[in-house]
Amino acid sequence: DAGHSAYLSKQQVLCCDLVLRPGCSKTFHYVETLPYNCPPSYRGNNVKYAYKLSIGFQKLHSTTKLLRIPMRVININGIDDMQQYMELVEPTEVSTNPFLGHIKKEFSFLDNALEVLSIQASRRNLGSYSITNKSGLVGNFNLYKLAYRLGEDVVGYFDFSEAQISCLQYTVVLQSLEEIRKDCIKHNSQNRSINASYSRFSEACISTVNTHFILPIPLTITPGFDSNLVTLRWRLRFEFIISTQDLANSDYNSRKHLPDEAWQGPNEVETESLLWDLPIEILATNPVQAFPAVPARLTANLLL
C-alpha cells in the first residue's frame, strides 16, 4: 500500500504445516494490544490514518496471499496520565458475602479508560457569551459545557431580549480544523489549515426573544488529537444575519393599524453577516456505541 507505516506490530505465526481433511476446520486466536498513543483512524484532506489487519496465507507450491481487514481506531486523551482522573473516583467496594466483609472490585484497563472518558465529558461549566459588533449587542448565548462525546448533542440557548440589533437568522455549523505541522509541508502553495463542515442547524429568529438549538455530533467523525504530522481541532461556527436598520421603527409601527391586523415584515432589509467561532472539544465514546451497526462477529473469505 502507498504511504508510510505509523504503527507496525510484530508478526505472529499462528500455524505451520497445517493439514485439514475435507469437512474439518481449525480455529486460531490472535490478540494484539495497540499503544495508547497511536493516532486514531482519520481521513483528512492532507493526512490519512488507516489501520488494517493483514493476514497471510500460503498453500503448498503456491504464492502467498494477503487478506487485509480494515479497522477503526479511536483514542481517549488523558490515558497517559490516568492517575489524575482516578483520584476523583471513589473506590467501589462490593459485598459478596456478609460473613466475608467487603471485597474491593478490580477494574480492567478498559474500565478505567471509560471512566476517564466519562469524567472528561461530564464536566459542566456554564459559559455565557455576549455577541456584539460595532453597533451594539446582538444577543446572549449560553452553553453548559465544551466537551462532548461522539454521538452526543450540542444544546445551546440564545437570549435576544436585550438585543440592540435585530437578528434575522442564525446558523450553527460543526467544523473541524486540520492543521499540518510546518516541517511537514511539502509545497509553499499547500494550505496549512483546512476546515470541513459537518452538522448544521439554521433558524429564522426575527422578533424572537428566546430560542435554542440541538446540533448532533456524528459517530463517524474523529475526535480531536495531536500527532507528529497533524493537529485536529473542533469548533462551532456561528453566522448571524443581522439587520443594519431598526425594524422597531418600521412603517408598520409608525402608523395606526387595526387590532387584528397581522404584522408584515418589510419587503427589503439591508443586512450584514457576523461570524463567530467557539472552540469545543470532541472526545471518543464507548466502542459499543461507536459501532452500533457493526455485527459482533465479522466474516472474511480468501480463496487459495
Side-chain angles (χ1 to χ4, degrees):
D1 294 343
H4 303 278
S5 296
Y7 171 75
L8 187 64
S9 65
K10 294 182 180 181
Q11 297 182 3
Q12 296 187 21
V13 179
L14 300 181
C15 65
C16 186
D17 296 334
L18 177 65
V19 179
L20 292 177
R21 299 183 180 275
C24 296
S25 63
K26 184 71 174 179
T27 302
F28 300 93
H29 295 276
Y30 171 78
V31 178
E32 181 68 35
T33 302
L34 297 177
Y36 60 81
N37 55 355
C38 278
S41 301
Y42 174 64
R43 181 183 291 271
N45 292 276
N46 294 315
V47 177
K48 175 184 176 182
Y49 288 107
Y51 289 85
K52 298 178 182 179
L53 179 63
S54 299
I55 306 174
F57 302 87
Q58 186 177 18
K59 192 177 179 181
L60 186 63
H61 304 303
S62 62
T63 59
T64 303
K65 294 186 178 181
L66 289 178
L67 175 64
R68 291 186 173 90
I69 302 177
M71 303 185 303
R72 183 188 177 189
V73 175
I74 55 178
N75 62 336
I76 300 178
N77 297 326
I79 295 299
D80 52 342
D81 194 11
M82 188 181 297
Q83 186 61 33
Q84 64 171 331
Y85 296 98
M86 291 297 99
E87 294 176 353
L88 302 176
V89 181
E90 296 182 357
T92 303
E93 295 185 354
V94 181
S95 178
T96 58
N97 192 312
F99 300 100
L100 296 179
H102 297 285
I103 299 178
K104 188 174 181 180
K105 182 181 179 181
E106 296 293 336
F107 292 94
S108 65
F109 181 83
L110 178 60
D111 293 332
N112 293 333
L114 294 178
E115 187 65 31
V116 170
L117 179 62
S118 178
I119 294 174
Q120 293 175 343
S122 61
R123 289 177 174 173
R124 291 185 176 271
N125 185 14
L126 178 61
S128 182
Y129 308 90
S130 296
I131 305 165
T132 62
N133 68 353
K134 61 182 179 180
S135 301
L137 179 67
V138 178
N140 295 313
F141 175 67
N142 295 323
L143 196 65
Y144 286 103
K145 64 177 185 175
L146 295 175
Y148 300 88
R149 287 182 288 189
L150 298 178
E152 278 192 290
D153 293 332
V154 180
V155 182
Y157 300 89
F158 283 105
D159 182 7
F160 299 105
S161 60
E162 301 177 357
Q164 300 171 333
I165 306 171
S166 298
C167 181
L168 308 181
Q169 178 180 304
Y170 72 90
T171 302
V172 188
V173 182
L174 177 64
Q175 286 189 343
S176 65
L177 185 61
E178 174 189 302
E179 185 173 353
I180 306 297
R181 300 193 180 276
K182 291 183 179 180
D183 54 348
C184 299
I185 297 179
K186 296 182 178 180
H187 309 287
N188 295 331
S189 59
Q190 184 178 4
N191 293 330
R192 185 185 175 191
S193 297
I194 300 177
N195 60 70
S197 299
Y198 295 85
S199 303
R200 176 185 297 267
F201 182 90
S202 183
E203 181 182 18
C205 57
I206 184 172
S207 300
T208 299
V209 178
N210 296 287
T211 186
H212 73 282
F213 69 86
I214 300 177
L215 191 69
I217 298 178
L219 286 169
T220 55
I221 64 176
T222 302
F225 71 96
D226 288 319
S227 71
N228 57 349
L229 297 177
V230 63
T231 299
L232 181 67
R233 295 289 180 264
W234 291 92
R235 68 187 181 188
L236 297 177
R237 163 151 288 195
F238 295 83
E239 181 181 8
F240 300 92
I241 305 300
I242 58 179
S243 174
T244 57
Q245 64 190 66
D246 188 3
L247 296 182
N249 297 324
S250 61
D251 295 338
Y252 175 83
N253 294 328
S254 61
R255 65 178 176 82
K256 294 182 179 180
H257 53 84
L258 299 176
D260 57 348
E261 183 180 355
W263 181 84
Q264 294 182 355
N267 295 329
E268 296 182 359
V269 179
E270 295 183 2
T271 63
E272 62 182 17
S273 178
L274 175 63
L275 295 178
W276 176 49
D277 293 331
L278 178 62
I280 63 172
E281 185 179 4
I282 293 185
L283 308 171
T285 188
N286 193 311
V288 177
Q289 299 175 351
F291 308 99
V294 178
R297 184 174 182 178
L298 298 178
T299 302
N301 298 319
L302 178 66
L303 182 62
L304 297 177

